[in-house]
Each structure stands twice: as structure tokens, then as C-alpha cells.
Amino acid sequence: MTSRSVSAAAAGTWLLGDRTVNRIGFGAMRLTGSAAFHEGTPRDRRQSIAVLRRAVELGVNHIDTAAFYFSRLRSANELINSALAPYADDLVIVTKVGPARDASGDWADSARPDQLRGQVEENLRQLGRDHLDVVNLRIMGQDSISEHFGALAELRDAGLVRDLGISSARLEHLAQAQAIAPVVCVQNRYGIDMPEGEAMLRACAAHGIAFVPFFSIAGGGREAGAVRPEHDEVRAVARVHGVSPAQIRLAWILRQGTHVLAIPGTGDPDHLVDNVAAGGLRLTDEEFQLLGSIGRSAP
């Protein structure tokens, strides 16, 4: 497959709130540097801007970001603003609030409910917008999110936010949030070798909610990237299709259901094309089952 024939539309679409998005999106965290946050070397700004513009050219219309995605010299929101404003009508930018970092990059106490408006406004300023398409509440270990989600629901009613979601959530968190306002997406860690997200995957399918897994490629590497030795099964399937293991991981994620939206992130233009191309891969039933057996005990 040539880069000219690659399109995010090949993965199909999903209605995120009332906006149609292609199921292959883009995560902005890795735009800021060779490692997340203040570690590693800041990325070349021109290359990061070029990657964002190329993503949109390839049909990506769902971008995930946050005001706390910044490293030395680089801010994901600022890069998005510089690269893509004025924004296309079909572009959906999803942000998240809850975690907090000070100006030097050190992590601070997570936001109280009364501080979430300030975090929403910071995202608005950085992105140059008067409303946010979707805001996810990143849950920071609390048992109840009702007060925090209620504060975001008030901002939704005020017109600062269009739709709401939750991140790093348990099933009880989803129930708490749904009792307050509609939930359009759940962002949780999930992948071939991370089966702990399957209960939420199924719950989202039952409720017609988008499930947006993160670290699907990185796996245990998390913010640092894919540092694990790759599984033999993933490498074998990748050889059959003539693609990279990362593409196989994305294809497997997308096959979990039409409600699953992938948001792989990269600052490398070649990796971007590979990630988007994964939306056009079709695994056989046998391959899907083989990959799904990784990290899962037999019944």
C-alpha cells in the first residue's frame, strides 16, 4: 500500500457525540519530545507541525491532546493550534483535565472540582477556541467522581464544552458519570497484552459509548514507548501481512468492535502513515484469536 492510497476512512467511522469521526485518530502526546513530558529531547517543531498536517491530509479527524502534554520547549496544544488553525469543521479535538503540572513540568496535586474550569479555559487558550469538542475527566485514583464530573457538566451546560468523557475509569465511575450527564467516550489502557480493560470495552459497547484505548502500541512501555520484546505471535502475524508489529496491534484493537477508536501517537511522519494504514488491515479469525490469547489465561 502506497502512502497515496492510505486513508483513515478505511477503518470506518463512529459517531462521537454528534460528530462523525474516522476510527483511526491521532494522539498528540508524543509530538512534544522523544519521550513524554520533560524527559528526552524536544522534537523538531517543524516536523511536529508537518506530522499534524499530514495526519489531517490522511483523513484523521479525531485528535487527542491535553494542556499537560508539554515538554521542554514544546506544547502539544500550541503545536496543534499552529498547525491546524483555523480548524476544519469536521475536526474533533478531544482534551482531558484532572492532572496538573507546574510551569517547570513537575506534577502537582490533581485538580479539585472547583479548579476544573481553569483547566478547561487553559485548553481553550492554548488551542485558540471558544469551546472544546470533548473533555475527558482523567480519574486520579478517587472512588467517587460525581463532584468532579458534575463540575464538568456545568461547563457543558455553559457552552464551554460540547461533550464529556472519562479516562482511567472503572465501571462504577462510568455509572456515576452517566447519572449526571451523557458520556460519549471512555479512555482506558488496553491492548493485546493488557487484558484488564476488557470489562470496560464490553460495557461501552453495551451503552453505545466510544472506547478509546491508550498505550495500545507501547504496551508496558507506557509513556516511554514500546520497550518490551515483541511477542512471537505478533511478529509472526506481522510477517504474514508484510507490516510492522505496531500495525498488527492497531488492527487487533480496531477489530474489538465498531465502537473502538484508536489514537496512536507519533512524531515521525513515516510511522504516522503506517499507523493510519493499519486501519485498512483485516486479520483472519484465526489471527485475531491467536493474538487475543496473549496474556490471557485459559478458562
Side-chain angles (χ1 to χ4, degrees), residues 1-29:
M1 182 181 293
T2 66
S3 61
R4 288 185 178 181
S5 62
V6 170
S7 171
T13 62
W14 180 260
L15 200 62
L16 188 57
D18 61 356
R19 312 281 299 282
T20 299
V21 297
N22 290 322
R23 293 177 58 222
I24 280 277
F26 181 83
M29 184 180 70

PDB file of all heavy atoms in Angstrom, residues 1-29:
ATOM      1  N   MET A   1       0.845  -1.187   0.000  1.00  0.00           N
ATOM      2  CA  MET A   1       0.000   0.000   0.000  1.00  0.00           C
ATOM      3  C   MET A   1       0.887   1.245   0.000  1.00  0.00           C
ATOM      4  O   MET A   1       1.769   1.403   0.840  1.00  0.00           O
ATOM      5  CB  MET A   1      -0.898   0.003   1.259  1.00  0.00           C
ATOM      6  CG  MET A   1      -1.855   1.188   1.317  1.00  0.00           C
ATOM      7  SD  MET A   1      -2.878   1.162   2.824  1.00  0.00           S
ATOM      8  CE  MET A   1      -3.871  -0.294   2.540  1.00  0.00           C
ATOM      9  N   THR A   2       0.665   2.117  -0.971  1.00  0.00           N
ATOM     10  CA  THR A   2       1.442   3.354  -1.038  1.00  0.00           C
ATOM     11  C   THR A   2       0.822   4.400  -0.132  1.00  0.00           C
ATOM     12  O   THR A   2      -0.352   4.323   0.228  1.00  0.00           O
ATOM     13  CB  THR A   2       1.467   3.884  -2.478  1.00  0.00           C
ATOM     14  OG1 THR A   2       0.148   4.272  -2.863  1.00  0.00           O
ATOM     15  CG2 THR A   2       1.988   2.832  -3.435  1.00  0.00           C
ATOM     16  N   SER A   3       1.630   5.395   0.240  1.00  0.00           N
ATOM     17  CA  SER A   3       1.119   6.442   1.128  1.00  0.00           C
ATOM     18  C   SER A   3      -0.030   7.200   0.489  1.00  0.00           C
ATOM     19  O   SER A   3      -0.912   7.713   1.181  1.00  0.00           O
ATOM     20  CB  SER A   3       2.247   7.408   1.512  1.00  0.00           C
ATOM     21  OG  SER A   3       2.774   8.047   0.371  1.00  0.00           O
ATOM     22  N   ARG A   4      -0.062   7.252  -0.857  1.00  0.00           N
ATOM     23  CA  ARG A   4      -1.146   7.966  -1.530  1.00  0.00           C
ATOM     24  C   ARG A   4      -2.487   7.267  -1.349  1.00  0.00           C
ATOM     25  O   ARG A   4      -3.543   7.899  -1.418  1.00  0.00           O
ATOM     26  CB  ARG A   4      -0.837   8.093  -3.028  1.00  0.00           C
ATOM     27  CG  ARG A   4       0.289   9.086  -3.337  1.00  0.00           C
ATOM     28  CD  ARG A   4       0.450   9.260  -4.834  1.00  0.00           C
ATOM     29  NE  ARG A   4       1.487  10.233  -5.151  1.00  0.00           N
ATOM     30  CZ  ARG A   4       1.821  10.577  -6.381  1.00  0.00           C
ATOM     31  NH1 ARG A   4       1.194  10.013  -7.409  1.00  0.00           N
ATOM     32  NH2 ARG A   4       2.769  11.465  -6.593  1.00  0.00           N
ATOM     33  N   SER A   5      -2.459   5.945  -1.154  1.00  0.00           N
ATOM     34  CA  SER A   5      -3.705   5.193  -1.007  1.00  0.00           C
ATOM     35  C   SER A   5      -4.122   5.019   0.443  1.00  0.00           C
ATOM     36  O   SER A   5      -5.175   4.443   0.723  1.00  0.00           O
ATOM     37  CB  SER A   5      -3.565   3.812  -1.665  1.00  0.00           C
ATOM     38  OG  SER A   5      -2.544   3.055  -1.018  1.00  0.00           O
ATOM     39  N   VAL A   6      -3.326   5.501   1.374  1.00  0.00           N
ATOM     40  CA  VAL A   6      -3.635   5.364   2.794  1.00  0.00           C
ATOM     41  C   VAL A   6      -4.674   6.410   3.198  1.00  0.00           C
ATOM     42  O   VAL A   6      -4.540   7.592   2.874  1.00  0.00           O
ATOM     43  CB  VAL A   6      -2.362   5.531   3.651  1.00  0.00           C
ATOM     44  CG1 VAL A   6      -2.703   5.627   5.128  1.00  0.00           C
ATOM     45  CG2 VAL A   6      -1.406   4.375   3.399  1.00  0.00           C
ATOM     46  N   SER A   7      -5.705   5.963   3.901  1.00  0.00           N
ATOM     47  CA  SER A   7      -6.738   6.886   4.376  1.00  0.00           C
ATOM     48  C   SER A   7      -7.304   6.395   5.692  1.00  0.00           C
ATOM     49  O   SER A   7      -7.578   5.195   5.860  1.00  0.00           O
ATOM     50  CB  SER A   7      -7.875   7.008   3.365  1.00  0.00           C
ATOM     51  OG  SER A   7      -8.964   7.740   3.913  1.00  0.00           O
ATOM     52  N   ALA A   8      -7.492   7.332   6.624  1.00  0.00           N
ATOM     53  CA  ALA A   8      -8.092   6.979   7.909  1.00  0.00           C
ATOM     54  C   ALA A   8      -9.514   6.470   7.743  1.00  0.00           C
ATOM     55  O   ALA A   8     -10.037   5.774   8.616  1.00  0.00           O
ATOM     56  CB  ALA A   8      -8.067   8.189   8.839  1.00  0.00           C
ATOM     57  N   ALA A   9     -10.150   6.780   6.629  1.00  0.00           N
ATOM     58  CA  ALA A   9     -11.517   6.329   6.395  1.00  0.00           C
ATOM     59  C   ALA A   9     -11.613   4.819   6.245  1.00  0.00           C
ATOM     60  O   ALA A   9     -12.696   4.242   6.403  1.00  0.00           O
ATOM     61  CB  ALA A   9     -12.080   7.023   5.158  1.00  0.00           C
ATOM     62  N   ALA A  10     -10.497   4.143   5.950  1.00  0.00           N
ATOM     63  CA  ALA A  10     -10.523   2.696   5.734  1.00  0.00           C
ATOM     64  C   ALA A  10     -10.933   1.930   6.981  1.00  0.00           C
ATOM     65  O   ALA A  10     -11.404   0.799   6.894  1.00  0.00           O
ATOM     66  CB  ALA A  10      -9.149   2.215   5.258  1.00  0.00           C
ATOM     67  N   ALA A  11     -10.772   2.534   8.140  1.00  0.00           N
ATOM     68  CA  ALA A  11     -11.121   1.871   9.394  1.00  0.00           C
ATOM     69  C   ALA A  11     -12.600   1.990   9.725  1.00  0.00           C
ATOM     70  O   ALA A  11     -13.072   1.375  10.682  1.00  0.00           O
ATOM     71  CB  ALA A  11     -10.286   2.445  10.540  1.00  0.00           C
ATOM     72  N   GLY A  12     -13.348   2.794   8.958  1.00  0.00           N
ATOM     73  CA  GLY A  12     -14.745   3.024   9.288  1.00  0.00           C
ATOM     74  C   GLY A  12     -14.907   4.234  10.196  1.00  0.00           C
ATOM     75  O   GLY A  12     -13.933   4.904  10.554  1.00  0.00           O
ATOM     76  N   THR A  13     -16.138   4.521  10.555  1.00  0.00           N
ATOM     77  CA  THR A  13     -16.440   5.718  11.339  1.00  0.00           C
ATOM     78  C   THR A  13     -17.246   5.379  12.585  1.00  0.00           C
ATOM     79  O   THR A  13     -17.803   4.281  12.712  1.00  0.00           O
ATOM     80  CB  THR A  13     -17.228   6.746  10.499  1.00  0.00           C
ATOM     81  OG1 THR A  13     -18.478   6.168  10.105  1.00  0.00           O
ATOM     82  CG2 THR A  13     -16.434   7.159   9.267  1.00  0.00           C
ATOM     83  N   TRP A  14     -17.313   6.366  13.480  1.00  0.00           N
ATOM     84  CA  TRP A  14     -18.121   6.262  14.703  1.00  0.00           C
ATOM     85  C   TRP A  14     -18.670   7.647  15.017  1.00  0.00           C
ATOM     86  O   TRP A  14     -18.011   8.658  14.744  1.00  0.00           O
ATOM     87  CB  TRP A  14     -17.269   5.749  15.867  1.00  0.00           C
ATOM     88  CG  TRP A  14     -18.050   5.633  17.154  1.00  0.00           C
ATOM     89  CD1 TRP A  14     -18.055   6.505  18.201  1.00  0.00           C
ATOM     90  CD2 TRP A  14     -18.944   4.581  17.509  1.00  0.00           C
ATOM     91  NE1 TRP A  14     -18.898   6.069  19.194  1.00  0.00           N
ATOM     92  CE2 TRP A  14     -19.464   4.880  18.791  1.00  0.00           C
ATOM     93  CE3 TRP A  14     -19.380   3.411  16.883  1.00  0.00           C
ATOM     94  CZ2 TRP A  14     -20.373   4.055  19.455  1.00  0.00           C
ATOM     95  CZ3 TRP A  14     -20.284   2.593  17.529  1.00  0.00           C
ATOM     96  CH2 TRP A  14     -20.767   2.908  18.803  1.00  0.00           C
ATOM     97  N   LEU A  15     -19.845   7.690  15.604  1.00  0.00           N
ATOM     98  CA  LEU A  15     -20.450   8.953  15.994  1.00  0.00           C
ATOM     99  C   LEU A  15     -20.000   9.290  17.408  1.00  0.00           C
ATOM    100  O   LEU A  15     -20.464   8.671  18.377  1.00  0.00           O
ATOM    101  CB  LEU A  15     -21.980   8.855  15.911  1.00  0.00           C
ATOM    102  CG  LEU A  15     -22.755  10.166  15.822  1.00  0.00           C
ATOM    103  CD1 LEU A  15     -22.387  10.937  14.565  1.00  0.00           C
ATOM    104  CD2 LEU A  15     -24.258   9.900  15.879  1.00  0.00           C
ATOM    105  N   LEU A  16     -19.076  10.231  17.533  1.00  0.00           N
ATOM    106  CA  LEU A  16     -18.545  10.659  18.828  1.00  0.00           C
ATOM    107  C   LEU A  16     -19.372  11.867  19.279  1.00  0.00           C
ATOM    108  O   LEU A  16     -19.176  12.977  18.799  1.00  0.00           O
ATOM    109  CB  LEU A  16     -17.070  11.018  18.696  1.00  0.00           C
ATOM    110  CG  LEU A  16     -16.297  11.315  19.984  1.00  0.00           C
ATOM    111  CD1 LEU A  16     -16.370  10.141  20.954  1.00  0.00           C
ATOM    112  CD2 LEU A  16     -14.843  11.639  19.672  1.00  0.00           C
ATOM    113  N   GLY A  17     -20.300  11.636  20.185  1.00  0.00           N
ATOM    114  CA  GLY A  17     -21.303  12.658  20.462  1.00  0.00           C
ATOM    115  C   GLY A  17     -22.186  12.773  19.235  1.00  0.00           C
ATOM    116  O   GLY A  17     -22.808  11.801  18.806  1.00  0.00           O
ATOM    117  N   ASP A  18     -22.216  13.951  18.627  1.00  0.00           N
ATOM    118  CA  ASP A  18     -22.967  14.114  17.379  1.00  0.00           C
ATOM    119  C   ASP A  18     -22.038  14.387  16.199  1.00  0.00           C
ATOM    120  O   ASP A  18     -22.465  14.901  15.172  1.00  0.00           O
ATOM    121  CB  ASP A  18     -24.003  15.238  17.514  1.00  0.00           C
ATOM    122  CG  ASP A  18     -23.370  16.591  17.819  1.00  0.00           C
ATOM    123  OD1 ASP A  18     -22.135  16.654  18.009  1.00  0.00           O
ATOM    124  OD2 ASP A  18     -24.121  17.590  17.874  1.00  0.00           O
ATOM    125  N   ARG A  19     -20.758  14.038  16.346  1.00  0.00           N
ATOM    126  CA  ARG A  19     -19.769  14.286  15.306  1.00  0.00           C
ATOM    127  C   ARG A  19     -19.234  12.950  14.789  1.00  0.00           C
ATOM    128  O   ARG A  19     -18.830  12.080  15.561  1.00  0.00           O
ATOM    129  CB  ARG A  19     -18.602  15.125  15.855  1.00  0.00           C
ATOM    130  CG  ARG A  19     -19.005  16.372  16.650  1.00  0.00           C
ATOM    131  CD  ARG A  19     -19.389  17.515  15.760  1.00  0.00           C
ATOM    132  NE  ARG A  19     -18.294  17.937  14.906  1.00  0.00           N
ATOM    133  CZ  ARG A  19     -17.272  18.708  15.339  1.00  0.00           C
ATOM    134  NH1 ARG A  19     -17.211  19.108  16.608  1.00  0.00           N
ATOM    135  NH2 ARG A  19     -16.335  19.085  14.491  1.00  0.00           N
ATOM    136  N   THR A  20     -19.205  12.796  13.489  1.00  0.00           N
ATOM    137  CA  THR A  20     -18.678  11.572  12.881  1.00  0.00           C
ATOM    138  C   THR A  20     -17.163  11.664  12.757  1.00  0.00           C
ATOM    139  O   THR A  20     -16.637  12.625  12.190  1.00  0.00           O
ATOM    140  CB  THR A  20     -19.296  11.346  11.493  1.00  0.00           C
ATOM    141  OG1 THR A  20     -20.717  11.214  11.636  1.00  0.00           O
ATOM    142  CG2 THR A  20     -18.737  10.084  10.854  1.00  0.00           C
ATOM    143  N   VAL A  21     -16.469  10.661  13.297  1.00  0.00           N
ATOM    144  CA  VAL A  21     -15.006  10.629  13.213  1.00  0.00           C
ATOM    145  C   VAL A  21     -14.561   9.305  12.615  1.00  0.00           C
ATOM    146  O   VAL A  21     -15.225   8.277  12.763  1.00  0.00           O
ATOM    147  CB  VAL A  21     -14.330  10.816  14.592  1.00  0.00           C
ATOM    148  CG1 VAL A  21     -14.659  12.179  15.174  1.00  0.00           C
ATOM    149  CG2 VAL A  21     -14.725   9.704  15.568  1.00  0.00           C
ATOM    150  N   ASN A  22     -13.436   9.337  11.921  1.00  0.00           N
ATOM    151  CA  ASN A  22     -12.808   8.105  11.469  1.00  0.00           C
ATOM    152  C   ASN A  22     -12.209   7.389  12.672  1.00  0.00           C
ATOM    153  O   ASN A  22     -11.712   8.019  13.607  1.00  0.00           O
ATOM    154  CB  ASN A  22     -11.737   8.401  10.425  1.00  0.00           C
ATOM    155  CG  ASN A  22     -12.334   8.868   9.114  1.00  0.00           C
ATOM    156  OD1 ASN A  22     -13.380   8.383   8.689  1.00  0.00           O
ATOM    157  ND2 ASN A  22     -11.690   9.828   8.464  1.00  0.00           N
ATOM    158  N   ARG A  23     -12.265   6.050  12.646  1.00  0.00           N
ATOM    159  CA  ARG A  23     -11.897   5.280  13.826  1.00  0.00           C
ATOM    160  C   ARG A  23     -10.392   5.263  14.084  1.00  0.00           C
ATOM    161  O   ARG A  23      -9.963   4.889  15.183  1.00  0.00           O
ATOM    162  CB  ARG A  23     -12.440   3.853  13.727  1.00  0.00           C
ATOM    163  CG  ARG A  23     -13.974   3.811  13.788  1.00  0.00           C
ATOM    164  CD  ARG A  23     -14.502   2.400  13.627  1.00  0.00           C
ATOM    165  NE  ARG A  23     -13.944   1.545  14.649  1.00  0.00           N
ATOM    166  CZ  ARG A  23     -13.503   0.306  14.431  1.00  0.00           C
ATOM    167  NH1 ARG A  23     -13.511  -0.211  13.211  1.00  0.00           N
ATOM    168  NH2 ARG A  23     -13.017  -0.421  15.419  1.00  0.00           N
ATOM    169  N   ILE A  24      -9.593   5.646  13.111  1.00  0.00           N
ATOM    170  CA  ILE A  24      -8.158   5.866  13.350  1.00  0.00           C
ATOM    171  C   ILE A  24      -7.964   7.355  13.575  1.00  0.00           C
ATOM    172  O   ILE A  24      -8.228   8.172  12.688  1.00  0.00           O
ATOM    173  CB  ILE A  24      -7.300   5.404  12.159  1.00  0.00           C
ATOM    174  CG1 ILE A  24      -7.098   3.889  12.191  1.00  0.00           C
ATOM    175  CG2 ILE A  24      -5.935   6.076  12.175  1.00  0.00           C
ATOM    176  CD1 ILE A  24      -5.988   3.397  13.098  1.00  0.00           C
ATOM    177  N   GLY A  25      -7.530   7.701  14.792  1.00  0.00           N
ATOM    178  CA  GLY A  25      -7.257   9.089  15.127  1.00  0.00           C
ATOM    179  C   GLY A  25      -5.779   9.313  15.382  1.00  0.00           C
ATOM    180  O   GLY A  25      -4.923   8.556  14.900  1.00  0.00           O
ATOM    181  N   PHE A  26      -5.485  10.318  16.185  1.00  0.00           N
ATOM    182  CA  PHE A  26      -4.091  10.686  16.442  1.00  0.00           C
ATOM    183  C   PHE A  26      -3.954  11.179  17.881  1.00  0.00           C
ATOM    184  O   PHE A  26      -4.716  12.039  18.326  1.00  0.00           O
ATOM    185  CB  PHE A  26      -3.648  11.794  15.478  1.00  0.00           C
ATOM    186  CG  PHE A  26      -2.208  12.222  15.657  1.00  0.00           C
ATOM    187  CD1 PHE A  26      -1.189  11.504  15.058  1.00  0.00           C
ATOM    188  CD2 PHE A  26      -1.876  13.317  16.428  1.00  0.00           C
ATOM    189  CE1 PHE A  26       0.144  11.880  15.224  1.00  0.00           C
ATOM    190  CE2 PHE A  26      -0.560  13.710  16.603  1.00  0.00           C
ATOM    191  CZ  PHE A  26       0.457  12.983  16.003  1.00  0.00           C
ATOM    192  N   GLY A  27      -2.986  10.624  18.591  1.00  0.00           N
ATOM    193  CA  GLY A  27      -2.674  11.077  19.935  1.00  0.00           C
ATOM    194  C   GLY A  27      -1.489  12.024  19.919  1.00  0.00           C
ATOM    195  O   GLY A  27      -0.454  11.722  19.314  1.00  0.00           O
ATOM    196  N   ALA A  28      -1.637  13.176  20.562  1.00  0.00           N
ATOM    197  CA  ALA A  28      -0.649  14.255  20.428  1.00  0.00           C
ATOM    198  C   ALA A  28       0.483  14.218  21.448  1.00  0.00           C
ATOM    199  O   ALA A  28       1.423  15.009  21.341  1.00  0.00           O
ATOM    200  CB  ALA A  28      -1.356  15.610  20.525  1.00  0.00           C
ATOM    201  N   MET A  29       0.446  13.311  22.403  1.00  0.00           N
ATOM    202  CA  MET A  29       1.429  13.350  23.482  1.00  0.00           C
ATOM    203  C   MET A  29       2.864  13.265  22.963  1.00  0.00           C
ATOM    204  O   MET A  29       3.747  13.985  23.421  1.00  0.00           O
ATOM    205  CB  MET A  29       1.180  12.226  24.482  1.00  0.00           C
ATOM    206  CG  MET A  29       2.101  12.256  25.685  1.00  0.00           C
ATOM    207  SD  MET A  29       1.786  10.919  26.863  1.00  0.00           S
ATOM    208  CE  MET A  29       2.356   9.495  25.944  1.00  0.00           C
TER     209      MET A  29
END
